[in-house]
Each structure stands twice: as C-alpha cells, then as structure tokens.
Amino acid sequence: MANSDSDKFKSDDVPALPPPPPLPLPEVAVAGVVEEDFSTSLARLRNEVLQAKSITDESARDKSLLDALKNCRKFLEDAEEAKVVATRRVAAAKDVYETAAQALSGYTPLNSRIATGSGNSSNKRAKVEKMPRVSVAQLAEEATYPTNTLYLPPRYTEGGGMDEALVANFRDSFYRQLTGGVVQSTADLDSYVPPPTNANLKSNAQLKEWIYIAEHWATGVDGLDAGQFRAKHKTWYSRMKPVTYKLGRRTGIHIRETDDGTKYLCRHSKDGTKSIIYLEIGQVFDALFEMHVIELNHRGRDATKNLADERYANLPDAQIRAFLEACPSCAARRTNRTFN
C-alpha cells in the first residue's frame, strides 16, 4: 500500500527549532478585584450624592453637592483612563494575533473577519486616540485659554451692492423676524431685553452680568465665598458650565480682554483651539452681514453656519435662517427661481 502523505515526513526528518521568545504582554489586573473596587467606589459616590441632596440648608447642600461632583468627576476620569488602557491592550492582542496568523496557510486578516456594520468600537477608539487628553474636572482658574484674535464685527451701513437705505430696511426686517415682532426697528433694540431662558440672544447688559459672574466664579464677591456665589448663580452654571473644559460642548467659558480694556465673554470653539465670543443682540446683524453678504456673496445656510461656528459662540440656526429670509438679495433670487 502506498504511504499516505502523513507517512512521507517523519518527525525525525525535521530539525527541531528553538521555541520563540515569549512576547511581552501588558499586565492585566485580576478582574474580580477591579470590579469589586469599582462597585465599592460607585456605591460610595452614590451614597455621598444622596447624603448631600438630603441636607436641608440650601447653601450647605449646594456646597456638599459641588464636593460630590468633584469626586464624581475624578471617578469619571479614572474610568476614562481605564477605557484607554483597555483599548490599547486590545490593539496589542490583535497585533499578536496577526503575527501568529501570518505564519499559517490560508491566512485571512483579522479585520476582514469582523462583521461589517459593527465598527463602532474602532470608531470610538480612533476618536479617543485623536482627542487630546484633557481633564474633565479642570477648574476655570487652572485652565489655559487660546490667544487667537477675536472677530469683532464692524457696523455696516452699506456694502455688498446695497445702499444705506436698503441695509437699514434689511436690518429692521431681520430684528423683527428674530424677536417675533417685538422689535419693530433698530431703535427699539436699546430697550429690548431678550428672555433670560434664551442663551443665544443677549443684550449688552445681560452679557455684562454674565462677565461679572464668570469673573468671580472661582473666588466669590459681595461677602459671598465661592460656594455661596456659585449656589446663588447655579442656574447660570447649569446653562454655561464654566468650570469644565470638554471639547465639542458649550464649555470652557472664559473672559478675553482687548487692548482697550474691553472684556468679552468667550467659550472654546468645537475643536478647542480658539476663543469665540458671545455677541450682544445689536452685533448679530453686522456679524451675519459680514459673513453672508461681504465674504460669502450670499451663499446658503450651511456655508454661513460653518463660518459662524468658527467665530462666534451664539449664532444658532434660527438666527441664520431669520437673516437669510430677510436678505433682499436672496429674496430676489428666490422670486426669480419661482417665476422661471
């Protein structure tokens, strides 16, 4: 009988190879211990928050809640750090797998064996690695802020092919739409007070109040310590979150001062690289006029919105839509398209 393929090669025919050196693998803590520590810490934090909430004195309760919040943020930092470490360990394990698999016939790369449509983990890993490592609990007094030039829109009376009368009518029409008819002309802006609940539409006096709060947030003022001052303005804090630096949110509130001593309330841009200012209501038209009419030559909402997000902190879609609807040049183009 013919010998089978397995009989053609004897173990004695193949020279013995030395075993490969062991690959260094990241140390992994015992899962049970980590889970136990995590559960204990989580239970302690929950108990701390519940105890703080049960305090009847408002000032003492808010101070205890702020202390609990700092501890929760530290806990969150540790959890995020553990997530990054775990991600790196998974990447190292895949590396080892690829090295071993490449020695086999019929090798299929690991990535091609993962079902499509389940790439959330890799996307999240890429996002974590690309985002700068910034403390979630970084306090305002310890933060560093950008030093870029601020965009301060000039007042436009004409431009973009519009004369003074047309720009004046355009301005009045825009503020009528923006305020739902409360402001009938630009002259009414001085006496108009936007609703306090609207964080994106503020008078000059309201912005000055916000600057005052931001200036004394870390120290307190008027006989109030920092805890009492923050408790007094906790509604402002919940809206603005001045003590947190977290990219992509309305955070990192800070004050920039120009050479002439004027102070401006700012926040970080979405990528965290620039200061962008909060405009008072009287500056909104001029900022949009400069971008939409002068620089973009009446391009659409998306282009105007993208440029606005790079420069200003409080120009949402609603304001841009009101401006485009009031724009006489855009209205003329819409009319021409209707009849053509």
Side-chain angles (χ1 to χ4, degrees), residues 152-174:
L152 304 174
R155 184 174 178 83
Y156 284 92
T157 57
E158 59 182 11
M162 302 183 194
D163 59 22
E164 289 189 21
L166 188 55
V167 171
N169 289 333
F170 183 7
R171 187 186 297 269
D172 291 344
S173 176
F174 166 68

Side-chain angles (χ1 to χ4, degrees), residues 292 296 299-309 317 320 324:
H292 176 71
L296 296 176
R299 288 179 62 188
R301 182 190 63 84
D302 290 344
T304 306
K305 175 62 174 167
N306 290 338
L307 187 54
D309 286 345
D317 283 340
I320 293 173
L324 297 185

Side-chain angles (χ1 to χ4, degrees), residues 103-176:
L104 300 175
S105 59
Y107 164 68
T108 303
L110 181 62
N111 289 342
S112 65
R113 303 183 187 186
I114 300 176
T116 59
S118 60
N120 290 337
S121 296
S122 61
N123 290 340
K124 288 180 180 178
R125 180 174 68 251
K127 184 176 181 181
V128 168
E129 293 174 351
K130 289 178 182 178
M131 292 284 282
R133 180 64 182 160
V134 182
S135 171
V136 178
Q138 187 174 23
L139 299 179
E141 57 266 32
E142 299 172 353
T144 56
Y145 299 106
T147 57
N148 59 288
T149 301
L150 299 178
Y151 281 93
L152 304 174
R155 184 174 178 83
Y156 284 92
T157 57
E158 59 182 11
M162 302 183 194
D163 59 22
E164 289 189 21
L166 188 55
V167 171
N169 289 333
F170 183 7
R171 187 186 297 269
D172 291 344
S173 176
F174 166 68
Y175 283 115
R176 277 195 297 273

